[in-house]
Amino acid sequence: MPDTNLRNLTLDEAVKAAEAEHTRANPQSATRFEEACRAMPGGNTRTVLHYSPFPLTIARAEGSRLEDIDGHRYTDYLGEYTAGLYGHSHPVIMKAIREALEGGISFGAPNRWEAALAQLMCERFPSLDLVRFTNSGTESNMMAVVSARAATGREKVMVFNGGYHGGVLSFAGGGSPINAPFAFVLATYNDLEGTRTLIEQNATALAAVLIEPMMGGGGGIAARPEFLRMLRETTEKHGIVLIFDEVMTSRLSAGGLQARLGIVPDLTTFGKYLGGGMSFGAFGGREDLLARFDPRRPDAWSHAGTFNNNVLTMAAGIAGLTQLFTPEAAERLNASGDLLRQRLNEAGRKAGVPLQCSGIGSIMAIHWQSRAVERPSDTADTPAGARTLFHLGMLQRGFYLARRGFISLSLVLDERDHERFVAAVEDYLETTRPVLQATLS
Ligand SMILES: Cc1ncc(COP(=O)(O)O)c(C=O)c1O
């Protein structure tokens, strides 16, 4: 049943109808999901990939296109939660990986790629005097936090309600029972005075303040520059290590969001696209902090990781930064994201539906409310069904994005894709307007 028949239904009824249509249209994915449930909890090994009634199984991908196992094709607006910056199987990345593969992988020794990628990153990101690699963004944040604690001899770590820094550093709804057991001090994003007071109150116990300069997965919510400047000044005053998590936001200019804002943290963490689409993480920053990992020092901290310098990631990362994500390409991509966001907001206004597309440059999120979004809790009243209906509606129209409305653009999407995407959103709004207007505020 196409969603034109969703008119005159309540939101719950419309969601049920959309889920029924999803099930009807995707029998192979449904079967694969049932089978997966026999060996993995909920058929899942990465929580964010689950959505109701069941996720599509992707069979193959090329450029900006995905194909599921039922044979439907999608234009990829999720971009692997920002890791897919280069699109799928980009020839430049494939060539670098193939060449590296031919020379052998996993040497148990330094290779000729790792220092080149480190050098490229130190040249780009203002806070990086030195950098080390890990295998994921989660691991990078863990390393940054434990480094700050060891360097300061202090226990506490300030984080922000609704923030996300990895599977064991997740602060949606205040925190998770499986978070790493640090002494966290929970502050409110963009609350300048409240956060300053909390830092002052905990000043002698705080090792680090860990923040995403724009909450990416948390909803494309930009930190106010004056809020970040306050963090920089207050942490400096008290010898607290300021950590920017730029796992997602490092793509928002050639030098990351820190370069765009002109604010230099003590440590920065990275992940996602910087490994060319292979598993990746890195943490780096001030020379005196990173120098503690110099194994020639008698008091060196040891940082292990079998695959830290893995050849395929290093080679793909270098190819991406030198041949594809040049400073000019970064500028173009983020400008096209700013324009797309404006067009989506305009589509919401024209349709008379409270659609709000937030974010910066190539990272954005669609919220279903008119109230401004300054922190994740501002979206707490949005009925979950609004997100579900939009997500399934866009899948039906051939566009792949996250259930929560998260979008990240890749370098292989073009203006025609954006036109088709905006037209699909307009069509969705037109079709579902009665349901949305009756439910949302
Ligand atoms: C801001 C941020 N930090 C850290 C992470 C964790 O990275 P990974 O999934 O590579 O462990 C993510 C992942 O989405 C992220 O968005």
Side-chain angles (χ1 to χ4, degrees), residues 136-138 141 164-166 212 245 247-248 272:
S136 70
T138 304
N141 281 312
Y164 181 75
H165 306 286
E212 249 195 306
D245 177 341
V247 166
M248 281 194 175
K272 308 284 191 193

Side-chain angles (χ1 to χ4, degrees), residues 46 81-82 135-139 141 164-167 212 214 216-217 245-249 269-272 280-281:
R46 180 181 173 199
Y81 289 89
T82 72
N135 295 282
S136 70
T138 304
E139 217 184 314
N141 281 312
Y164 181 75
H165 306 286
E212 249 195 306
M214 176 185 79
D245 177 341
E246 291 232 50
V247 166
M248 281 194 175
T249 60
T269 58
F270 302 91
K272 308 284 191 193
F280 180 79

Side-chain angles (χ1 to χ4, degrees), residues 138-306:
T138 304
E139 217 184 314
S140 301
N141 281 312
M142 290 296 285
M143 287 309 302
V145 166
V146 294
S147 302
R149 280 163 45 100
T152 58
R154 300 174 184 169
E155 291 287 317
K156 293 189 181 176
V157 180
M158 175 173 279
V159 291
F160 294 85
N161 195 7
Y164 181 75
H165 306 286
V168 294
L169 293 165
S170 172
F171 302 96
S176 152
I178 58 162
N179 269 350
F182 295 119
F184 293 113
V185 176
L186 200 64
T188 303
Y189 203 71
N190 276 331
D191 172 11
L192 197 148
E193 284 314 321
T195 304
R196 192 201 324 257
T197 305
L198 209 50
I199 295 176
E200 299 282 354
Q201 282 166 351
N202 289 277
T204 56
L206 270 177
V209 171
L210 171 60
I211 186 163
E212 249 195 306
M214 176 185 79
M215 283 190 173
I221 306 171
R224 286 191 279 131
E226 59 273 25
F227 177 67
L228 294 174
R229 277 196 290 274
M230 177 280 293
L231 290 182
R232 181 58 292 182
E233 280 157 24
T234 317
T235 51
E236 198 154 12
K237 175 169 145 204
H238 294 291
I240 300 163
V241 178
L242 179 61
I243 308 171
F244 275 7
D245 177 341
E246 291 232 50
V247 166
M248 281 194 175
T249 60
S250 66
R251 54 149 58 202
L252 295 181
S253 86
L257 193 43
Q258 57 191 257
R260 195 159 159 156
L261 292 165
I263 301 173
V264 180
D266 301 300
L267 292 177
T268 306
T269 58
F270 302 91
K272 308 284 191 193
Y273 74 95
L274 280 161
M278 312 289 286
S279 309
F280 180 79
F283 66 102
R286 258 175 40 203
E287 210 264 340
D288 62 307
L289 291 170
L290 268 290
R292 295 299 304 265
F293 291 99
D294 180 342
R296 296 168 300 182
R297 281 172 68 138
D299 62 347
W301 299 331
S302 165
H303 165 224
T306 302

